[in-house]
Amino acid sequence: MKKPYLLFILIGCFCNIVYPQQLRIKNAEKDSLVAKAFNLAVKTIDLNTRDGILAAGADYGGEWTRDISINSWNGTSLFRPEVAEKSLWSVTINRDTIGHQYWDKIIWVTGAWNHYLVTGDKDFLKQAYICSKNTIADLEEKHYDKKYGLFMGPAHLCDGIAGYPSPPFDPEINSSFVLDYPNTNEMKSLSTNAIYVSAYRSLAMMGKELKAPASEITRFLKKEAELKKQINKNFWLKDKKRYGYLILFDGKKDSSQEGIGISYALMFGIPDKKMANEIFAGIKLMPEGLTCVYPDFPRFGREKPGRHNNILWPMINGFWGYAAKEYRQYGIFKNELENEAHLALDADKGDNNFREIYNAYTGKPDGGWQSGHTWKSCDHQTWSATAYTRLVLYGLLGINFETNGIKFTPYIPEGYGAVELSGIKYRNADLTIRIKGAGKRIKSFSINGKRQPAAFLPDSLKGDVAIDIEMK
């Protein structure tokens, strides 16, 4: 397949742009913030591709299941499908079971289902379904707590002990790895359980697409519904009007605000409408955005933020911004779209570098404190970059992959001007997407100059395809 190139253009209020490999703007006082960040994000994907496998970042390898799954899901399956597929298989054991850190590796199922929606590759889906079923069966047997109806293990993002209160943290233990601390394998966290909700839904959709036995599909849907129920029962805090963070091994609960857990809960439809509205109304944000775990644990603070505590991971903010757009919280979405670009581009912040972690007060790169020292905020972190491609692709442009095509639900803020994305290979078509106007409602939707009754691109189209959308 011809290697795609990307062109993301904001014109109208800005100007004309040409993008062979690098974004250029002519006759403008300043470059488009969003366009520059988006194209830098795509370049970061290529920068971190090694031997066909997508690494976690410039300072990391590609061995983390969560990173590869998230990065494929956030856009790599669209931009570089061969890289996404090879990367997804690289963290499995003989393509039969999902490998690496056990507690949240089930997010691979979500990444794999999305990969199929993008590519339509049935052979990939058949093996991914086998791999996913084998893995969920093993995890249900070994890591499911029947008393709570929840899965055990650390929080999704927090493989470092800085992300946890004391206990389980113990200053006498000299290790950064969470499972080196007593009873941490018995914890239950919001984020990890939310991932299982998505995995069950994805398994059901895989089974349906492959015409698996109805009883198999029904089982996964029942598991999804039951897990949602138990999450709401065990994690919802009525007084705080949001979800809590952890249930510790002794049953004690930590009521901290977990940014990624709350974002996933919203994305996967776990709270009802009233609960979701309460979350958006009461969420606690730092000056630079939603942090990993809020507030500071007593051993950390403004001058010494914990690496997985009250500190900014852009990957979280990408999901938070996307969740806001899905719930029509457009002000929050726009803020994240622009703030994430500033974090990556501004000279006093990322300086054209999607860094791994930022200080929540200043926006400066800050790896946070853990195990007796301050860590590095690593360079060109892939999931910081793909968090931004998610905000643009699925948020701004409103791309929603379905089994038989793409549904469009864009939101263009006032003042952005016209938007164009070209050079995208989707199945057998080469897409150019152009959007004029602003707002959340579509006035007209055309494919190759022909107006359509719905904002939907069927997957049967081939060759060059121009999509024109006019917003009200």
Side-chain angles (χ1 to χ4, degrees):
M1 184 178 69
K2 180 177 67 177
K3 183 176 180 180
Y5 66 92
L6 269 161
L7 173 59
F8 181 79
I9 304 177
L10 278 85
I11 54 179
C13 64
F14 292 110
C15 61
N16 295 323
I17 302 169
V18 179
Y19 178 61
Q21 291 298 320
Q22 231 176 13
L23 185 65
R24 293 197 296 259
I25 299 180
K26 297 179 180 179
N27 304 319
E29 293 181 1
K30 64 178 182 178
D31 291 349
S32 159
L33 177 75
V34 174
K36 286 183 67 178
F38 179 79
N39 285 293
L40 176 63
V42 177
K43 291 178 184 178
T44 303
I45 292 172
D46 289 334
L47 174 70
N48 290 330
T49 300
R50 304 169 198 160
D51 297 324
I53 294 175
L54 188 56
D59 300 312
Y60 291 106
E63 65 272 16
W64 282 281
T65 301
R66 70 178 71 91
D67 290 70
I68 280 173
S69 303
I70 286 170
N71 290 326
S72 298
W73 180 26
N74 278 352
T76 305
S77 288
L78 178 64
F79 303 141
R80 307 291 183 263
E82 296 94 344
V83 171
E85 180 174 345
K86 186 175 181 180
S87 299
L88 286 165
W89 288 130
S90 75
V91 290
T92 65
I93 301 169
N94 299 322
R95 303 191 179 191
D96 185 66
T97 55
I98 305 164
H100 297 267
Q101 293 179 339
Y102 76 87
W103 62 87
D104 66 345
K105 66 183 181 181
I106 203 64
I107 195 172
W108 188 93
V109 184
T110 299
W113 172 240
N114 176 77
H115 185 77
Y116 169 72
L117 290 177
V118 176
T119 64
D121 186 339
K122 274 282 177 69
D123 290 333
F124 170 85
L125 184 65
K126 289 174 184 176
Q127 192 60 44
Y129 188 49
I130 294 169
C131 185
S132 300
K133 286 198 301 178
N134 290 343
T135 304
I136 197 75
D138 182 65
L139 292 169
E140 286 173 342
E141 179 183 350
K142 296 177 181 177
H143 302 292
Y144 183 71
D145 187 331
K146 294 180 180 179
K147 177 182 176 182
Y148 287 90
L150 298 169
F151 284 89
M152 297 181 290
H156 169 52
L157 177 61
C158 299
D159 57 358
I161 193 60
Y164 300 91
S166 178
F169 170 73
D170 182 345
E172 299 300 317
I173 299 175
N174 185 27
S175 174
S176 63
F177 185 46
V178 58
L179 289 182
D180 286 339
Y181 290 76
N183 305 307
T184 47
N185 62 319
E186 298 179 42
M187 296 187 296
K188 275 78 66 175
S189 76
L190 173 64
S191 57
T192 293
N193 279 278
I195 289 167
Y196 277 89
V197 168
S198 178
Y200 280 126
R201 165 61 59 169
S202 298
L203 276 160
M205 295 302 98
M206 285 179 175
K208 184 178 180 181
E209 188 70 4
L210 293 170
K211 295 180 171 55
S215 59
E216 201 166 271
I217 298 167
T218 300
R219 176 184 179 275
F220 292 136
L221 292 175
K222 285 183 176 179
K223 287 283 188 177
E224 177 202 14
E226 180 60 26
L227 187 52
K228 284 182 179 180
K229 179 181 176 181
Q230 294 303 320
I231 289 172
N232 286 329
K233 176 183 176 180
N234 288 287
F235 287 102
W236 184 254
L237 306 173
K238 289 185 179 180
D239 58 332
K240 296 182 181 295
K241 298 182 178 180
R242 62 165 172 82
Y243 293 104
Y245 173 33
L246 291 172
I247 301 173
L248 300 173
F249 73 96
D250 57 2
K252 292 180 180 178
K253 296 185 178 182
D254 184 275
S255 62
S256 299
Q257 173 184 280
E258 187 194 13
I260 192 67
I262 289 173
S263 300
Y264 279 158
L266 290 163
M267 288 170 57
F268 303 148
I270 297 173
D272 61 30
K273 185 176 180 180
K274 180 177 181 291
M275 294 162 69
N277 288 336
E278 289 178 343
I279 289 171
F280 283 111
I283 199 81
K284 302 297 183 185
L285 302 176
M286 296 297 289
E288 293 295 328
L290 182 66
T291 56
C292 186
V293 180
Y294 175 91
D296 294 293
F297 296 130
R299 64 189 189 273
F300 301 123
R302 179 170 185 151
E303 302 305 319
K304 191 177 75 173
R307 180 169 175 81
H308 297 279
N309 190 194
N310 194 22
I311 203 164
L312 218 66
W313 291 71
M315 181 269 279
I316 297 173
N317 301 89
F319 284 118
W320 168 244
Y322 170 75
K325 191 261 184 175
E326 290 297 284
Y327 282 82
R328 301 183 180 181
Q329 299 285 336
Y330 297 115
I332 295 174
F333 167 72
K334 180 176 181 288
N335 181 71
E336 292 299 339
L337 183 68
E338 295 174 357
N339 190 53
E340 291 300 288
H342 281 295
L343 287 175
L345 298 176
D346 288 1
D348 63 337
K349 295 176 181 174
D351 193 18
N352 294 298
N353 184 340
F354 279 93
R355 299 291 286 268
E356 180 184 28
I357 311 172
Y358 296 81
N359 188 286
Y361 291 94
T362 66
K364 296 182 182 299
D366 187 340
W369 185 271
Q370 184 170 250
S371 301
H373 66 279
T374 297
W375 290 50
K376 178 185 178 183
S377 175
C378 294
D379 291 318
H380 305 295
Q381 193 72 5
T382 311
W383 66 13
S384 297
T386 65
Y388 201 75
T389 61
R390 167 175 285 272
L391 287 173
V392 172
L393 290 174
Y394 308 150
L396 192 72
L397 299 178
I399 291 173
N400 300 275
F401 293 107
E402 299 185 356
T403 55
N404 61 343
I406 302 175
K407 179 183 176 181
F408 287 86
T409 56
Y411 168 69
I412 308 299
E414 290 287 345
Y416 270 45
V419 177
E420 181 174 313
L421 175 65
S422 67
I424 293 294
K425 183 75 173 178
Y426 169 67
R427 302 198 182 181
N428 294 312
D430 294 294
L431 305 182
T432 297
I433 303 166
R434 298 186 287 255
I435 306 177
K436 293 182 179 180
K440 61 187 178 183
R441 295 182 180 181
I442 294 175
K443 181 179 180 180
S444 67
F445 183 89
S446 301
I447 298 176
N448 291 336
K450 295 182 180 180
R451 190 159 178 167
Q452 306 296 312
F456 185 80
L457 175 77
D459 66 351
S460 57
L461 297 184
K462 299 179 180 180
D464 293 334
V465 176
I467 301 163
D468 287 284
I469 305 172
E470 185 177 355
M471 308 300 293
K472 288 186 178 179

